[in-house]
Amino acid sequence: AQSVSQHNHHVILSEAASLELGCNYSYGGTVNLFWYVQYPGQHLQLLLKYFSGDPLVKGIKGFEAEFIKSKFSFNLRKPSVQWSDTAEYFCAVNAQTGANNLFFGTGTRLTVIP
Amino acid sequence: NAGVTQTPKFRVLKTGQSMTLLCAQDMNHEYMYWYRQDPGMGLRLIHYSVGEGTTAKGEVPDGYNVSRLKKQNFLLGLESAAPSQTSVYFCAIGPTVRNQPQHFGDGTRLSIL
């Protein structure tokens, strides 16, 4: 089965700082990769996804992520964070074959200080 | 959140009581999922359904039952609630095309005393 690791549990940044959140997965086959964001008290929303093609994908609100297959990684980046980016970020993966279940990392809480 | 509606939004139960959480969708997706979200543990899949009349166990199914009698509804039941089931429960829906994202409901915050 797949598993997802997010090593940063809580990240605190000042506004305008750059952000990189780590995500590593373990699975021997081909996967689809997702980043979701959960603002305080809200449901999960999709930030971006990767399933094939250009390994650098761009999402909403200035976020991007790079899939590095050799490292089993899908790190999320944003060049300049805003206070409104304060939220919890989840990396998720599903396999391109077999059961279509989504496996989530434990999440990274981002706090942006004005 | 258009597309996925969860009821109720909040509930407090006593240990041993039973209840049912309802997830309703209007997007005609085949797949429906129930997750629980606990601090520091992310989202864990409880049960899921790949179509009307079908259900399957996820990562943490013990203590829960589900039913999908109609395509648009997916029910999660707790027969005898335990404090360990205190959590936030999210329903999600998804198409059969697996590279498309799941859509989540607003969640149900459940406390078991």
Side-chain angles (χ1 to χ4, degrees):
Chain A
Q2 301 96 321
S3 67
V4 181
S5 297
Q6 293 181 246
H7 301 295
N8 311 108
H9 299 294
H10 189 191
V11 173
I12 302 172
L13 295 173
S14 298
E15 274 193 319
S18 64
L19 170 71
E20 181 161 1
L21 301 182
C23 173
N24 289 90
Y25 68 93
S26 66
Y27 181 68
T30 307
V31 296
N32 301 309
L33 296 152
F34 306 84
W35 273 99
Y36 283 86
V37 61
Q38 185 179 31
Y39 298 104
Q42 296 188 23
H43 61 273
L44 276 75
Q45 303 171 43
L46 181 72
L47 268 181
L48 48 78
K49 63 177 182 176
Y50 171 83
F51 59 90
S52 67
D54 189 344
L56 184 62
V57 293
K58 295 189 183 301
I60 61 172
K61 304 186 181 186
F63 286 91
E64 64 179 31
E66 184 176 14
F67 171 51
I68 303 179
K69 189 174 181 180
S70 61
K71 295 184 178 180
F72 297 88
S73 70
F74 190 54
N75 292 354
L76 181 71
R77 299 194 292 250
K78 185 171 184 179
S80 177
V81 295
Q82 300 173 322
W83 175 78
S84 58
D85 293 324
T86 294
E88 191 150 16
Y89 293 81
F90 294 93
C91 182
V93 60
N94 71 358
Q96 291 195 1
T97 58
N100 188 13
N101 293 340
L102 206 54
F103 290 84
F104 284 87
T106 53
T108 297
R109 181 152 52 107
L110 172 65
T111 301
V112 180
I113 301 170
Chain B
N1 182 25
V4 186
T5 302
Q6 290 184 234
T7 53
K9 296 191 185 307
F10 304 94
R11 186 74 183 267
V12 179
L13 291 178
K14 294 182 180 178
T15 298
Q17 286 185 316
S18 64
M19 79 161 295
T20 301
L21 281 65
L22 170 64
C23 176
Q25 61 146 326
D26 62 7
M27 296 178 71
N28 202 36
H29 281 329
E30 291 295 331
Y31 285 47
M32 298 187 76
Y33 307 83
W34 276 108
Y35 294 90
R36 59 178 289 172
Q37 183 181 25
D38 301 292
M41 303 189 76
L43 277 79
R44 293 180 293 168
L45 183 64
I46 305 171
H47 286 279
Y48 65 101
S49 168
V50 301
E52 181 179 322
T54 71
T55 63
K57 294 180 179 180
E59 183 183 355
V60 288
D62 294 342
Y64 305 95
N65 57 74
V66 288
S67 65
R68 182 120 179 250
L69 299 179
K70 296 181 179 180
K71 183 177 182 179
Q72 64 267 34
N73 294 337
F74 194 31
L75 281 70
L76 176 71
L78 286 72
E79 289 188 348
S80 179
S84 60
Q85 294 177 305
T86 294
S87 187
V88 181
Y89 292 86
F90 285 97
C91 175
I93 63 173
T96 52
V97 180
R98 62 182 62 239
N99 60 19
Q100 296 303 310
Q102 295 180 10
H103 300 276
F104 287 81
D106 289 336
T108 296
R109 186 173 296 276
L110 183 61
S111 295
I112 317 287
L113 304 178

